[in-house]
């Protein structure tokens, strides 16, 4: 099945409210838990960048799980970030989470050393997927952990509808519609692997983790785009 792109930004306030109110507890908990499966035994500390953070649920969960970290979330939707900043005032980890409005490439991402760069469900929104890998390369250093979770495209529209029926049964119509459109807009594991090759990030791996999800994971090493040695040499 050919990919069918969807809008890059979810900037409708009503849409943002529905997403912020939706019960993603189980799914988002698994995403945060799985980070430790891919990078076991780490006492993670320092700065974490969350690209495409939406209303910030993953950002807050990650900050709560790793109390020695600060998390900066970046998103292009003002509607989503209004909700994220509203939560900052009441969330226990709110003093270690900050949000920046901006689209990649070009978002005003702070130039600090990032211990980890994470993202959930951003890649399938991008009309030019290479901007994600280019952004990661521009802000990462040697040793930065990369953990990108996204949908993967099913083989047919019928399969996409079946997945909606299984995982979004009883959800608001806007969530069911967006889930279906996002499945059609997602990339296959082979397409993501090709993106990584084109970006020079062949040390990152792509794993299929469910009937609808994939994860890109790995560590930025010397000689890869974004590594300190490359940036210091002007490469």
């Amino acid at each position: 099945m050919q990919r069918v792109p969807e809008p890059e930004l979810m900037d409708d306030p009503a849409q943002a409210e529905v997403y912020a109110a939706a019960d993603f507890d189980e799914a988002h908990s698994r995403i945060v838990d799985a980070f430790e499966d891919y990078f076991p035994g780490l006492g993670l500390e320092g700065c974490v960048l969350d690209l495409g953070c939406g209303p910030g649920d993953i950002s807050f969960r990650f900050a709560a799980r790793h109390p020695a970290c600060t998390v900066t979330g970046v998103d292009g939707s003002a509607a989503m970030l209004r909700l994220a900043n509203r939560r900052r005032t009441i969330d226990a980890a709110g003093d270690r989470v900050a949000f920046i409005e901006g689209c990649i490439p070009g978002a005003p991402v702070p130039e600090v050393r990032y211990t980890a760069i994470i993202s959930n469900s951003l890649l399938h929104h991008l009309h030019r997927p290479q901007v994600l890998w280019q952004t990661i390369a521009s802000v990462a250093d040697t040793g930065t952990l990369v953990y990108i979770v996204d949908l993967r495209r099913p083989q047919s529209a019928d399969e996409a509808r079946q997945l909606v029926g299984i995982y979004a049964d009883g959800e608001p119509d806007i969530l069911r519609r967006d889930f279906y459109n996002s499945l059609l807009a997602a990339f296959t594991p082979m397409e993501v692997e090709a993106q990584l090759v084109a970006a020079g990030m062949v040390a990152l791996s792509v794993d299929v983790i469910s009937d609808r999800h994939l994860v890109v994971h790995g560590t930025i090493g010397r000689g890869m785009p974004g590594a300190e040695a490359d940036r210091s040499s002007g490469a």
Side-chain angles (χ1 to χ4, degrees):
M1 180 178 67
Q2 292 285 331
R3 181 185 185 228
V4 182
E6 64 176 345
E8 288 197 332
L9 292 181
M10 300 173 68
D11 52 4
D12 180 347
Q15 185 183 35
E17 289 281 359
V18 169
Y19 271 82
D23 183 9
F24 292 119
D25 181 66
E26 181 180 355
H28 288 181
S29 293
R30 285 202 307 268
I31 289 171
V32 175
D33 291 344
F35 179 89
E36 297 177 18
D37 295 333
Y38 285 106
F39 306 104
L42 293 176
L44 201 65
E45 59 184 37
C47 301
V48 175
L49 182 65
D50 182 3
L51 295 172
C53 64
D57 190 55
I58 294 288
S59 301
F60 288 111
R61 289 173 184 270
F62 207 87
R65 178 65 63 88
H66 302 283
C69 289
T70 60
V71 180
T72 298
V74 178
D75 202 277
S77 169
M80 289 288 189
L81 292 187
R82 277 194 294 271
L83 298 173
N85 280 308
R86 188 169 70 190
R87 179 170 167 178
R88 281 188 69 232
T89 64
I90 60 173
D91 195 282
D95 61 342
R96 292 184 291 106
V97 181
F99 296 103
I100 293 172
E101 183 179 344
C103 297
I104 60 171
V109 177
E111 294 183 4
V112 300
R113 180 181 179 87
Y114 289 104
T115 299
I117 300 174
I118 65 176
S119 179
N120 174 50
S121 297
L122 170 63
L123 181 60
H124 72 265
H125 280 288
L126 299 174
H127 294 176
R128 295 185 298 121
Q130 284 303 124
V131 302
L132 175 59
W133 314 117
Q134 292 164 359
T135 298
I136 291 172
S138 72
V139 299
D141 288 309
T142 300
T144 298
L145 309 178
V146 177
Y147 179 65
I148 310 298
V149 180
D150 212 283
L151 294 171
R152 64 184 182 98
R153 192 169 74 248
Q155 294 185 349
S156 68
D158 283 344
E159 184 180 348
R161 282 188 283 269
Q162 291 172 8
L163 291 170
V164 172
I166 294 170
Y167 296 107
D169 185 43
E171 297 290 347
D173 288 344
I174 191 170
L175 285 181
R176 292 173 58 85
R177 179 203 69 193
D178 286 354
F179 183 32
Y180 176 77
N181 290 338
S182 291
L183 287 167
L184 300 190
F187 296 96
T188 67
M190 289 184 61
E191 289 169 342
V192 177
E193 288 171 348
Q195 293 168 17
L196 294 173
V197 170
M201 293 185 167
V202 293
L204 301 183
S205 299
V206 181
D207 288 349
V208 172
I209 58 172
S210 79
D211 56 1
R212 63 202 185 282
H213 290 106
L214 56 79
V215 61
V216 179
H217 61 95
T219 304
I220 298 293
R222 293 190 180 277
M224 290 178 64
E228 285 179 310
D230 294 339
R231 297 203 301 191
S232 64
S233 67

